[in-house]
Amino acid sequence: MSIVENIQYIENQVVSKGVTLIAVSKTKPVEMLMEAYNAGFKRFGENYVQELVEKYESMPKDIEWHFIGHLQSNKVKYIAPFVSLIHSVDSLKLLQEINKQAAKNSRMIDCLLQIYIAEEDTKSGMTEEECLAILQPETLKSLPNIRIVGLMGMTTLTDDETQIKKEFRKLKDFSKKLRTQNSELRILSMGMSGDYEIAIEEGSTMIRVGSKIFGGRIYQK
Ligand SMILES: *Cc1c(COP(=O)(O)O)cnc(C)c1O
């Protein structure tokens, strides 16, 4: 199937459930993204700052760019002028830098807090306790140019569906609990090519799908 057919296939599965599809285009050439764009699809996810900036500069300006990878504080300034949503905030220090750069650009930047749910310790993210500390009103007040709009999580790399389900459910339960106190936390970004169907069953509202749209990854950094 073509890129456009893949996107249509997945959107047909998820849109009626209120789930937003982000096409993860990391390592893919601009021509492939443009195929999707020319068919009307405008939400892309990238995880390397330099690659994101290059694509932003060479592509139409009505694209919604999502940053989904590990973000170093010293690189925030490059994406702050245009990024739509940063999914991968894993520390208060990073949020403070995003806030600073958002202010410099006279913007509000939407962010998700990445919560550590996997069993392997290679996946980044923060603990529930760190997340709760950031969501304290005094802390939020010190970040006037940030809007925290939800949570993101990545599961352990495994074929064990029970394990994946358990990890998604843990994040869903935590998100539900937080939402009773803070209604702005409406997004739950979980699910990739291999597990988005399970993620949606477990309450995901935003899925990040790469290889199932663009084909296998050419290389992985
Ligand atoms: C690469 C990546 C994805 C997409 O992975 P696929 O398995 O290719 O769908 C989703 N989220 C993050 C954070 C990624 O780095």
Side-chain angles (χ1 to χ4, degrees):
M1 291 212 294
S2 71
I3 289 168
V4 172
E5 283 168 336
N6 291 336
I7 287 176
Q8 283 166 348
Y9 175 83
I10 299 169
E11 286 218 304
N12 279 339
Q13 282 180 300
V14 310
V15 170
S16 62
K17 297 178 176 135
V19 176
T20 304
L21 169 64
I22 309 302
V24 175
S25 47
K26 62 185 186 207
T27 77
K28 303 300 174 196
V30 164
E31 301 81 73
M32 287 177 96
L33 282 69
M34 282 307 294
E35 278 185 43
Y37 179 86
N38 288 331
F41 189 85
K42 300 179 183 177
R43 281 185 309 275
F44 298 99
E46 290 283 337
N47 64 349
Y48 303 109
V49 167
Q50 192 183 334
E51 185 179 345
L52 170 55
V53 170
E54 284 168 10
K55 286 176 174 166
Y56 166 74
E57 284 171 354
S58 63
M59 290 182 67
K61 294 298 170 283
D62 60 343
I63 289 173
E64 216 181 87
W65 291 104
H66 292 244
F67 192 81
I68 62 173
H70 179 67
L71 183 55
Q72 288 168 278
S73 294
N74 62 355
K75 299 210 170 142
V76 173
K77 56 177 178 284
Y78 301 115
I79 63 170
F82 65 89
V83 71
S84 281
L85 178 62
I86 300 175
H87 291 231
S88 42
V89 174
D90 58 2
S91 72
L92 177 57
K93 179 175 158 271
L94 178 59
L95 264 184
Q96 288 165 336
E97 178 63 18
I98 298 170
N99 180 63
K100 185 173 135 193
Q101 298 299 333
K104 270 194 189 166
N105 287 279
S106 311
R107 298 189 66 207
M108 287 290 288
I109 296 185
D110 287 353
C111 294
L112 305 179
L113 300 180
Q114 183 174 355
I115 309 296
Y116 182 80
I117 52 172
E119 281 200 335
E120 36 188 331
D121 41 38
T122 51
K123 295 258 158 68
S124 50
M126 58 177 80
T127 62
E128 294 186 0
E129 289 69 33
E130 289 172 282
C131 173
L132 289 169
I134 288 174
L135 292 172
Q136 290 302 309
E138 314 83 73
T139 313
L140 293 180
K141 235 178 267 164
S142 72
L143 302 164
N145 290 70
I146 298 274
R147 214 165 17 217
I148 297 174
V149 292
L151 306 179
M152 186 269 238
M154 284 172 87
T155 56
T156 306
L157 196 61
T158 170
D159 290 332
D160 181 355
E161 274 203 21
T162 317
Q163 176 70 23
I164 294 173
K165 247 192 185 130
K166 195 173 96 188
E167 293 174 3
F168 280 145
R169 188 161 300 175
K170 185 161 179 273
L171 185 57
K172 164 69 180 175
D173 289 344
F174 183 54
S175 158
K176 231 171 149 174
K177 191 173 103 188
L178 294 180
R179 262 185 233 170
T180 60
Q181 292 140 30
N182 183 337
S183 58
E184 285 214 346
L185 301 171
R186 62 186 191 281
I187 297 177
L188 187 51
S189 167
M190 56 184 205
M192 317 191 348
S193 291
D195 59 17
Y196 72 85
E197 282 152 320
I198 305 175
I200 292 170
E201 279 171 29
E202 298 302 326
S204 168
T205 70
M206 190 171 271
I207 56 173
R208 309 175 310 271
V209 180
S211 37
K212 221 180 158 181
I213 293 175
F214 295 104
R217 278 173 236 165
I218 299 163
Y219 62 96
Q220 201 170 17
K221 278 189 232 178

